Amino acid sequence: MKFFIDTANLDQIREAQDLGVLDGVTTNPSLMAKEGIKGQENILNHYKNICEIVDGDVSAEVISTDYAGMIKEGEMLAALHPQIVVKIPMIKEGIKAIKYLTSKGIRTNCTLVFSLGQALLAAKAGATYVSPFIGRLDDISTDGVALIRQIVEMYNFYGYETEVLAASIRHTMHIIQCLEAGADVATCPLSAILGLLNHPLTDSGLEKFLADYKKVNG
Ligand code: G3P
């Protein structure tokens, strides 16, 4: 399973990249706003900066909600850097835009996906990635990870090539559950990735190894 970091914070992206296990980055307008990135020029520069830090795919989201606007923005974002994947919302115009951008060889990430039917449309339109938001489903007492499992099973059964990118991951256990569900990618906050490191037996085991070494070697 690939790991993307779900942030527009350059320090966190660098920290994840330095760990050596990062495969890409996802952003969205809320994450960009959180970092105070505003104005088209600054936003585009920020995407380029992210691409300079990481080796893998970087999802950059369109703001338009009409077909022509999404196409125009999508082409502009894709032209910024070869690592850019254009993030398009799961709406009627978005599906049409994904179909068009795919036909032009531009990679897309269909975002705000909350149902199996939406995932089917994204795959049929040729999206590179589909992003089901598992945390937001959990927030309304619906099993987000179960949706990942359903989409993976459906894509495998019908042979769709769209990759399942589990998004809205809130904690480390979500990552484990996405692994078990067969997600192709999990996009996570840095804290959830770092949480994978933790085990008390690792800590106590290391402490004992070092203490035993010291006993003999001083
Ligand atoms: O990847 C989508 C993500 O940024 C949304 O996360 O926590 O706002 O539901 P959240």
Side-chain angles (χ1 to χ4, degrees):
M1 187 174 76
K2 287 186 276 188
F3 267 136
F4 289 179
I5 188 168
D6 193 30
T7 184
N9 181 288
L10 297 184
D11 290 337
Q12 290 188 14
I13 293 170
R14 272 190 210 99
E15 187 175 340
Q17 174 69 21
D18 285 350
L19 198 56
V21 298
L22 191 67
D23 300 298
V25 177
T26 50
T27 63
N28 62 39
S30 303
L31 293 172
M32 294 291 275
K34 194 173 163 194
E35 300 308 316
I37 315 298
K38 57 182 177 187
Q40 196 187 57
E41 201 183 324
N42 290 332
I43 290 173
L44 298 182
N45 277 336
H46 201 75
Y47 289 139
K48 280 199 257 183
N49 290 337
I50 294 174
C51 291
E52 294 307 317
I53 297 172
V54 299
D55 301 320
D57 291 348
V58 175
S59 285
E61 188 159 342
V62 300
I63 304 301
S64 307
T65 53
D66 64 297
Y67 176 71
M70 281 191 267
I71 297 297
K72 192 171 163 209
E73 262 190 81
E75 287 179 330
M76 179 186 64
L77 290 169
L80 268 185
H81 198 282
Q83 284 165 244
I84 294 282
V85 175
V86 180
K87 212 170 177 186
I88 306 267
M90 164 43 73
I91 54 177
K92 192 174 174 185
E93 298 289 287
I95 288 299
K96 292 196 260 177
I98 289 170
K99 181 84 185 172
Y100 174 84
L101 293 169
T102 303
S103 77
K104 297 288 169 198
I106 293 174
R107 295 176 308 141
T108 57
N109 174 355
C110 184
T111 190
L112 290 166
V113 167
F114 294 94
S115 75
L116 191 61
Q118 290 179 326
L120 173 65
L121 290 175
K124 286 185 76 71
T128 314
Y129 296 104
V130 66
S131 288
F133 278 31
I134 65 174
R136 292 191 193 183
L137 281 170
D138 287 0
D139 287 344
I140 57 158
S141 312
T142 303
D143 189 344
V145 174
L147 177 62
I148 299 293
R149 205 172 296 118
Q150 283 181 320
I151 298 172
V152 167
E153 206 172 294
M154 186 259 285
Y155 282 4
N156 286 343
F157 185 84
Y158 288 103
Y160 290 120
E161 285 174 10
T162 300
E163 291 189 53
V164 180
L165 193 169
S168 183
I169 283 179
R170 303 277 174 74
H171 48 72
T172 305
M173 192 58 196
H174 267 157
I175 302 179
I176 302 300
Q177 290 170 321
C178 287
L179 262 179
E180 289 170 347
D184 299 291
V185 191
T187 188
C188 326
L190 181 61
S191 57
I193 297 175
L194 295 179
L196 292 168
L197 290 164
N198 298 335
H199 200 288
L201 291 178
T202 304
D203 298 340
S204 58
L206 181 60
E207 204 177 314
K208 177 144 179 31
F209 284 157
L210 295 180
D212 288 344
Y213 174 87
K214 210 168 166 193
K215 265 188 234 160
V216 178
N217 295 277

